[in-house]
Amino acid sequence: MQARKKYGLLGLCACCWLVFFFWGGGAQLRLLRLLTRQRGEVVRPWPNWTDRALLPRYAHLDELQTDPGTAESPRQRRQAWSAIYKDSRCRMETCFDFSRCRRRGREGFRVYIYPSEKNDRVSESYRKILTSIAESRYYTSDPREACLFVLGIDTLDRDQLSGQFVPNVDERIRGYPLWNDGRNHLIFNLYSGTWPNYTEDLGFNIGQAILAKASLNTEHFRPGFDVSIPLFSKDHPQKGGERGWLVRNTIPPRRKYLLMFKGKRYLTGIGSDTRNALHHIHNGKDIVSLTTCRHGKDWEKHKDTRCDHDNLEYERFDYQELLHNSTFCLVPRGRRLGSFRFLESLQAACIPVLLSNGWELPFSDVIQWNQAVIEGDERLLLQVPSTVRAVGNERVLALRQRTQMLWEAYLSSVDKIVLTTLEIIKDRVFSHISRNKYMWNSLPGGLLVLPEYSTHLTHFPFYYLELGVSPGQEFTAVIHAVSPLVSQSQPIMKLLQVVSKSKYCSQIIILWNSEKPPPGRSKWPPMPVPLTVTDGRRKTTSRFLPHVAIETEAVLSLDEDTVLLTSEVNFAFSVWRSFPERIVGYPPRSHFWDPLKRAWGYTSKWTNDYSIVLTGAAFYHRYYHYLFTHYLPQSLRTLVDRTSNCEDILMNFLVSAVTRLPPIKVAQRKQYKELPSPQGTKSVPWANPEHFNQRQECVNTFANWFGYMPLVHSQFRLDPVLFKDQVSVLRKKYKDLERA
């Protein structure tokens, strides 16, 4: 009986050992190593995906388990980082003084730039960053007003071997009375570390400052505090930037080449393992992966047997031609995690395939990059071709379209990169009125969605279509009056009667911009809708102020001498309700490029082509009042007020920049005639010969600020059904249009 118990116990132990042997994982391997070490034998562990017989050789097992090109362990890297960045656990709640920003409410977000010291070396790229801040609506020259501080010292290139490296930064910033261990400071950086390891060492202690850095590693990134920015070249434009290369809904979505890369091959050092392996996927047909050893001063010293062949193959293909004709673009890490290839691929609508393990992608707090890029793994390069072949055409087109949206909204200029950084930080400071992910990742992009106006998607006209929202069925008429009221027969009196008869009119607001005080209520005719007369404060831009009295989504902007019929007003409003994000109206104008003057021109000739609809008789959404006042710089609004001109052109620039679409011209009975000015009133502005010249200059000034020409030409017009057709008047809904 005792023997049976003994054997049963031994059997149970054997079963446990078998289970442990097959399922013990790491314990099994450690036990095998222990046993083999005791016997002096080598036992090969179970095959896995890193087995050299299963995976073609391009990296050692120990290389795959560490960061390429460095022998440092993760713990060593963290210790090195902590030694440099002593506040590596900073968060907005612990390392940022919110009181500096909130003492003036939402207007308290101001950015101060330290003045540059004599003989300071400032790179072109850093000068562009400082210019973008100085020209933004957040800049202040008074440090007492500032919420955020930016160094005048150039911190972009912290490679000690670089000619742009600025020494003694630690010593200098500690001498700043406002430094306060970096609290509420923002530091920009593109390049950190130096040869051979290219760590993230900036060479000075940033303290509690926010770091806006390219090539940020996820291990060192402080979520909700730091901002990852893209690596951009010194030639990246200050403003505007080139448009993306994708034509809308390009069919077919795929291009000549499936996948491409053309760039440097590092023969030694960090990043070389990934670049050296790229030739494995090159087939010279639909996958073109080209590298060259020919870079650097002493490349021939490290030359290997592949270099000559690679260099010859490299010269066979043109990089721009590959960009234009490839569906996917490989974006492998360089010496650092980021690469110029990232922005180049996005602009070209060549879907980036990232091979940069541990890279915190630019503006990752707000941008959903999975909708625009494919994230690969440096260790699984050979899986990339099959991965991209499996992406369907619909997803290819969606990914390509998203690359264009992100490029044009946030990345095409230094201005946009800097403003996106500031807006992300501002959203953190005022989190209760911050943008949501939908706003950041949908057209027109977060920079043109001001959360101070609203945080509800349905309050913005460019979201209506996608959300299935219909605009309201009433409008507010805003009439700009500059002439004193001396007669009941003035055009404004008739205009009031015409507009108030519209069944869609909710109220009328008269912006009184005359030198003489407005007449009393008894001087105005009785009307079926409320009439409000408000002080225009003698500013031309007052017509576009976000007046609290405007309660409807639609605004009908009118000049005091506009001649319209009620039926024309009704028809234009019905058209606007179908295109609520655009300007819809009557008087068209156009712009053109003058090659002789190398400048933009402005024309009022009546042609089939137009790009502007004057706001003297036009509908638009009230949000554009808020955007006009709070997004555009004070310099442009001052120009408009000083000249008493061009505000209608500026509004067209703004709306076209938001929508990337032209305004819409609606039908009218006849061309407007200039009416003689009533006795005792000002002459019409276009009677002044300087008026037209000023408008020419305005077009160029506005285009210069935007960095490109946002106006879009169109020949599209909308007429009422049966308008001008030889049919019975009884069949016409807008039968009054032909009576004049």
Side-chain angles (χ1 to χ4, degrees), residues 288-319:
V288 177
S289 182
L290 309 166
T291 56
T292 179
C293 306
R294 193 180 287 114
H295 60 88
K297 296 179 180 179
D298 56 351
W299 70 272
E300 290 186 285
K301 294 180 182 179
H302 305 284
K303 181 178 176 181
D304 60 19
T305 56
R306 271 187 26 229
C307 278
D308 289 335
H309 174 268
D310 285 356
N311 290 343
L312 287 174
E313 191 75 359
Y314 185 88
E315 298 299 330
R316 287 183 53 225
F317 294 84
D318 178 75
Y319 178 62

Side-chain angles (χ1 to χ4, degrees), residues 221 223-226 360-367 424 428 437:
F221 177 69
F225 192 72
D226 291 332
E360 188 71 29
L361 293 182
F363 308 133
S364 54
D365 285 20
V366 296
I367 293 179
I424 288 173
R428 295 171 183 170
K437 285 288 184 71

